[in-house]
Amino acid sequence: MPVDPGVVPGYFPGHRETVSRESRGVIPDAIAYSSYSASIVPFMGRIAELATLERQVQQARAGHSEVLMLRGEPGIGKTALLDRAAAGAEGFRIVRVRGVESERELRYAGLQLLCSALPDCLARLSGGQREALDAVIGLGDGPPDRLVLGLATLALLSTAASGPPLLCIIDDVHWLDRQSAEVLAFAFRRLAADALAVLLAAREGVATQELADVRTVHVKALSYAESRALMTSHIRGRVDEAVIGRIIAETRGNPQDLLDVVRGISAADFAGGFGVGVASGCSRGSLEGLIDQLEQLPAESRLVALLAASDPTGDPALQWRAGKQLAIPTNAAARLESDGLVRFGPRVTFDHPAARAALYALASKDDRRLAHRVLADATDSEAAPDRRAWHRALAAYAPDDELAAELELHACAACERGGRSAAAAFLERATMPTLHSGQRVERALAAAAAKFEAGAPDAAARLLVAADVGTLDAARRGRLERQRAQIAFANRRGNDAADSLLKAARRLEVTDLSAARDSYLEALVAAVFAGRLGRGSDTKAVAAAVPAGAPAGAEPAEDLLDALVTRFRTGSLTANQQVRRAIAEMRSVDSHATARWLWLAALAALDVCDDESWQALAAAAHDSALEAGSLTVLPYALTQRAIADLHRGEFKAAATVIADADAVSAGMGTPPLRHAALLLAGWGGHEQSSLALFGAARRDARDRGEGSILTAVSLGEAVLFNGLGRYDAALAAARDAVAHDELGLPGLAMSELIEAAVRCSDLGAAQCTLDALSERAAAFGTDWALGVVARSRALLSEGDTAERLFKQAIERLQQSQVTVHLARAQLVYGEWLRRQGRRIDARPQLRAARDAFAAMGAEAFAERAHREHLATGEKVRRRAVETWGELTPQESRIADLARDGLTNPEIGERLFISARTVEYHLHKVFEKFGITSRRELYLVLEQAAKASPAQRPAERADVLEPLADSEVA
């Protein structure tokens, strides 16, 4: 969806939305920010600029006009800073215009854009001023008087700022026509006491004399450390430091150029810099200027440029050695520098980042082979044998078994330098020159496995096609079938993958027991994801098919397989000790075979309520997958990390991790893992957006056959409806979630079912589930399990027994890492105390729960705790006039309208918000003033009206705060 000038980016759990501001300059109530949504990633090296922009906006909010110009080279981040300022201008009316190069010679073209963005304000101007601006936009007759036009523009901006504060953003000021710039400068100089901030942006070095007296901030290039941080934040896996250094030097601290390079090069190219990477946007038409430059160069200079383009490290010594082999005169490089193409310093860099890839793409194949041949000969075979082999491969004309063996030999070294993507690139390249059929199949299978792990399932599938035409014995046939099944599961996560993986495991048992057991574990995982929608082999069938016992000296992952087999054969209680031993082994051993399954060990820890191991394994799984560049594993690791963060109460961190997981999955072309996003939506409590997410996830899961998603949806719904107090709906959802024996999530749903059943007076269902939950807690013995079961049993108890259990639950959960469940225990204990008539005792528990939920972003639970807290009758603040300055602009406006006698629905209609939102803010107002009725509100506002104006903030009639989806009626 294209972004309009008035667009504000917002984030929701698991996906991103684009929210457009309406002409009134407020955010519609139907689309609002999530309080726990991931904030925009902080800008690298822009702390001072962001602080300046924030001060600018705050000054406008306080009623003081400010004008600021950002200057910098193209791509330095001016527009991004303006976007950030707009995103942070809550309650402002935002107007954005942009200078257009092709309209620079059109008189008043820029001013016409500004008028068009403020049609309602234009209509409110007086006759002469309106006529002057009408002439500018083509609706009037005759040329406007420049003085009247300047005053009319000033009046237009002041009128626009008379409601909510106004943020006026003008980008690409250097393309404004001179007449518009003069009029705007006239108006800007006369701004003073309006709630108005004007932010301008122009290129460095481009004259804008009309606005020369505007305060200017120069946006500088990023430092090396900042550039490196920005670059590595957009790359998953290892990158050779030499390649990082060359790219940073070439982009010279320009963030947009840096990101363009990062996005235009494949993972294999980045992994150690093996490969040049031809930019996808380098069409011949867009490179005409560069082609003309190259055609005018002497042949020796063109060859020097090609050598520079063919080496990803930018090593000048390597360039000179290669040039010497070709007997290129030393002055050939001078022409490149004088023409502004290439710089020869500590690194060989191109003046424009795209020039390297473009020049390489324009060269003939023969010239490229020549360049790589001499670079291979010039590369030190002891210091960088992998680079030498890579250049040799790119220089080869014909199949060469010796070269293929050399590439295969150095794949491990490449992996050390650049991770799994680098190893995959070497193994794929080794397949091409291999003549022997058996060796070619072997290398193709190895390359396919590496490509798959590096997050390139389509490339892996193509290599399997090459392997399938060769000589396949039983062992290779088994590996090929397993890899095909792996790719099919990754591409769809459908309900038929378990059968394919199980078939491959049985075939491999004859030739490779270790690979067979790994395939059995993969089949079990596929069955877990298929869940209730499984077709063919479910978890019990797969567990029954696994041969008993891991061989001596087996990897911890094989013990994890045996533990999970026992768990699905006999149940989680019987398998508890075996599962916990396997989890401990997975935490203690550091190997690639173990690291691949750390995320599954984390899920097993969740299944037995071992929160300490769960948190540790989730973090380790994420770190190891990222370090190794195992992109296929990374989404699973990120999902476990997000769910662990969520239960620790870190909703923002969870949302960020979910966005990362979605980005990895999108890059691979595989379905996103929605489990964490669904749970986050449930805990967030935003009914409208959550239900939309649940519905879409349910449809997608049924289409693909991923039954575990249905369980996650039901658990998310149970949490959501318990938070909203809709216990009948929560009970139905929780019943669905616990009905299926799946790993991890059904156990979380049991306490949701008990709470909902108690509230619905279905004590039979509550007691039955409590018995099962108690049995689990006794077996697992963790503070988490025992705390949750104590909380649940307290809900079914009375008197001293109930209170003892509530206290026991809180004490246990305080020792755990599941903060969300601690807050839930404090909430239900506070509710119980209030219903026992012990309002004073209830207040600390409810206050703690409310504050914890609010800090997390669990808005439905926070509001539930807030209502209960108010019901205890506590007066949080007993102040009247002096409290007025602490009201937000939204609260002030609602308080005024309530005093005037408007009902909540009428206030909501006036302010474009829901009646429920009005009620929420009125509760806040009552709490701040220490009152309980609208009649008292009238009295305190009358007192406030008599206070000194200096004691009151500037009133803005239509300022709205961002609203959470849970507040939408």
Side-chain angles (χ1 to χ4, degrees), residues 31 37 40 246 345 365 372 447 671 790 892 907:
I31 309 177
S37 60
I40 306 171
R246 190 268 300 169
K365 289 183 179 180
H372 285 294
S892 299
I907 296 173

Side-chain angles (χ1 to χ4, degrees), residues 700-719:
D700 178 60
R702 293 192 182 281
D703 288 344
R704 289 186 293 103
E706 190 176 1
S708 64
I709 287 291
L710 299 182
T711 301
V713 168
S714 293
L715 175 55
E717 288 177 335
V719 174

Side-chain angles (χ1 to χ4, degrees), residues 506-679:
R506 287 168 174 154
R507 183 185 286 274
L508 286 166
E509 269 192 71
V510 180
T511 58
D512 188 341
L513 183 57
S514 178
R517 289 182 62 80
D518 226 21
S519 189
Y520 277 123
L521 188 51
E522 290 164 351
L524 192 58
V525 167
V528 166
F529 277 94
R532 67 183 79 177
L533 299 180
R535 195 171 62 198
S537 301
D538 60 8
T539 51
K540 292 187 181 300
V542 174
V546 178
E555 288 279 350
E558 297 198 41
D559 291 330
L560 179 63
L561 169 63
D562 287 340
L564 293 176
V565 164
T566 303
R567 185 251 184 265
F568 283 111
R569 282 177 176 173
T570 63
S572 58
L573 303 184
T574 304
N576 174 49
Q577 293 303 320
Q578 187 179 358
V579 170
R580 295 174 74 88
R581 284 194 300 270
I583 290 170
E585 289 179 15
M586 291 291 289
R587 291 183 63 179
S588 64
V589 178
D590 182 16
S591 69
H592 177 68
T594 302
R596 182 187 170 208
W597 293 110
L598 286 173
W599 72 268
L600 183 60
L603 181 57
L606 167 61
D607 194 56
V608 296
C609 294
D610 182 355
D611 52 309
E612 193 272 333
S613 293
W614 179 34
Q615 297 285 344
L617 285 165
H622 165 258
D623 293 344
S624 63
L626 199 60
E627 171 64 20
S630 300
L631 297 189
T632 305
V633 175
L634 189 55
Y636 298 91
L638 287 168
T639 296
Q640 283 304 307
R641 177 71 178 268
I643 299 175
D645 286 344
L646 164 63
H647 281 76
R648 204 166 54 244
E650 297 179 4
F651 287 17
K652 288 185 178 180
T656 301
V657 173
I658 290 167
D660 286 345
D662 287 350
V664 175
S665 296
M668 293 190 297
T670 58
L673 287 158
R674 289 297 188 202
H675 304 75
L678 295 166
L679 298 188

Side-chain angles (χ1 to χ4, degrees), residues 277-363:
V278 179
S280 59
C282 292
S283 64
R284 190 174 184 87
S286 65
L287 301 173
E288 289 180 357
L290 179 60
I291 295 171
D292 292 340
Q293 270 189 293
L294 293 174
E295 288 177 346
Q296 295 172 18
L297 290 174
E300 295 87 351
S301 296
R302 285 201 300 271
L303 190 52
V304 171
L306 179 58
L307 287 173
S310 302
D311 169 39
T313 66
D315 181 0
L318 176 63
Q319 297 292 315
W320 293 122
R321 290 197 301 270
K324 188 174 181 180
Q325 288 184 30
L326 295 174
I328 299 175
T330 55
N331 62 358
R335 176 67 182 273
L336 296 173
E337 285 197 302
S338 64
D339 285 4
L341 281 170
V342 183
R343 297 186 184 190
F344 294 87
R347 293 186 187 278
V348 180
T349 61
F350 283 78
D351 265 25
H352 192 284
R356 174 184 295 271
L359 202 154
Y360 189 84
L362 292 169

Side-chain angles (χ1 to χ4, degrees), residues 63-129:
H64 303 293
S65 303
E66 294 282 346
V67 183
L68 179 71
M69 172 86 77
L70 298 179
R71 278 197 176 273
E73 64 179 80
I76 205 67
K78 303 183 298 297
T79 300
L81 286 167
L82 295 177
D83 290 341
R84 173 61 70 86
E90 296 178 359
F92 275 65
R93 176 172 186 167
I94 298 178
V95 173
R96 298 190 69 161
V97 297
R98 180 188 295 271
V100 181
E101 182 178 8
S102 61
E103 298 178 359
R104 194 177 187 184
E105 300 305 320
L106 299 178
R107 291 167 57 87
Y108 300 116
L111 190 56
Q112 186 273 333
L113 290 173
L114 180 61
C115 292
S116 297
L118 297 167
D120 55 323
C121 302
L122 187 62
R124 290 157 58 188
L125 296 183
S126 62
Q129 293 175 342

Side-chain angles (χ1 to χ4, degrees), residues 171-329:
D171 205 350
D172 289 340
V173 167
H174 50 279
W175 296 132
L176 286 180
D177 59 280
R178 180 177 57 83
Q179 294 79 12
S180 292
E182 288 176 347
V183 170
L184 289 171
F186 176 91
F188 294 161
R189 283 191 290 269
R190 287 157 177 79
L191 292 173
D194 292 289
L196 167 63
V198 179
L199 300 180
L200 313 174
R203 287 186 184 175
E204 197 72 80
V206 180
T208 52
Q209 296 177 351
E210 297 80 8
L211 295 161
D213 57 345
V214 171
R215 185 163 67 98
T216 300
V217 171
H218 295 275
V219 186
K220 303 294 186 181
L222 300 180
S223 67
Y224 183 92
E226 291 161 351
S227 297
R228 188 186 186 284
L230 177 62
M231 179 178 175
T232 53
S233 71
H234 285 74
I235 303 171
R236 294 169 178 86
R238 299 180 193 172
V239 183
D240 189 340
E241 286 297 329
V243 179
I244 290 178
R246 190 268 300 169
I247 292 174
I248 291 173
E250 211 152 68
T251 54
R252 296 188 295 282
N254 186 299
Q256 187 58 58
D257 288 347
L258 187 65
L259 293 177
D260 286 344
V261 172
V262 171
R263 293 162 182 158
I265 299 181
S266 70
D269 292 331
F270 265 130
F274 302 112
V276 177
V278 179
S280 59
C282 292
S283 64
R284 190 174 184 87
S286 65
L287 301 173
E288 289 180 357
L290 179 60
I291 295 171
D292 292 340
Q293 270 189 293
L294 293 174
E295 288 177 346
Q296 295 172 18
L297 290 174
E300 295 87 351
S301 296
R302 285 201 300 271
L303 190 52
V304 171
L306 179 58
L307 287 173
S310 302
D311 169 39
T313 66
D315 181 0
L318 176 63
Q319 297 292 315
W320 293 122
R321 290 197 301 270
K324 188 174 181 180
Q325 288 184 30
L326 295 174
I328 299 175

Side-chain angles (χ1 to χ4, degrees), residues 383-407:
D386 49 350
R387 294 199 188 284
R388 182 176 183 275
W390 188 257
H391 282 302
R392 283 193 63 204
L394 293 175
Y397 281 90
D400 184 338
D401 281 329
E402 180 185 347
L403 173 60
E406 185 180 356
L407 287 164

Side-chain angles (χ1 to χ4, degrees), residues 774-947:
S774 300
E775 191 176 8
R776 284 166 53 88
F780 300 155
T782 65
D783 285 320
W784 178 9
L786 294 170
V788 169
V789 80
R791 183 187 81 197
S792 301
R793 183 173 287 117
L795 291 171
L796 282 161
S797 303
E798 297 178 353
D800 293 342
T801 301
E803 183 159 20
R804 177 178 55 81
L805 288 169
F806 278 127
K807 290 180 177 179
Q808 179 184 331
I810 292 172
E811 182 180 351
R812 287 281 190 182
L813 291 169
Q814 284 174 333
Q815 307 303 313
S816 75
Q817 298 186 39
V818 284
T819 308
V820 293
H821 290 291
L822 171 61
R824 289 283 291 273
Q826 292 169 322
L827 171 60
V828 293
Y829 182 31
E831 290 173 333
W832 181 84
L833 286 169
R834 189 184 72 78
R835 284 163 176 74
Q836 297 299 309
R838 297 166 57 185
R839 295 184 299 168
I840 294 176
D841 293 338
R843 289 168 187 169
Q845 301 299 330
L846 293 170
R847 189 186 308 116
R850 179 197 63 191
D851 293 347
F853 285 132
M856 297 173 199
E859 293 197 3
F861 283 109
E863 188 173 346
R864 176 175 149 187
H866 178 64
R867 288 196 305 267
E868 289 286 336
H869 188 234
L870 288 177
T872 66
E874 181 176 17
K875 301 295 186 296
V876 179
R877 299 178 185 174
R878 289 189 174 276
R879 288 181 282 177
V881 174
E882 68 271 26
T883 311
W884 175 270
E886 299 181 30
L887 295 184
T888 67
Q890 177 77 321
E891 291 168 352
S892 299
R893 181 58 175 153
I894 289 175
D896 283 340
L897 295 174
R899 174 199 57 195
D900 294 341
L902 274 69
T903 65
N904 287 359
E906 288 170 341
I907 296 173
E909 184 177 353
R910 180 79 62 89
L911 296 182
F912 303 96
I913 59 177
S914 67
R916 183 178 173 188
T917 298
V918 175
E919 180 185 5
Y920 175 81
H921 285 292
L922 275 177
H923 277 310
K924 290 288 191 181
V925 172
F926 286 1
E927 187 175 297
K928 289 180 178 181
F929 283 138
I931 61 177
T932 57
S933 71
R934 295 192 179 208
R935 182 169 57 183
E936 293 176 279
L937 179 64
Y938 178 83
L939 295 175
V940 296
L941 292 186
E942 284 297 307
Q943 294 177 40
K946 299 174 183 178

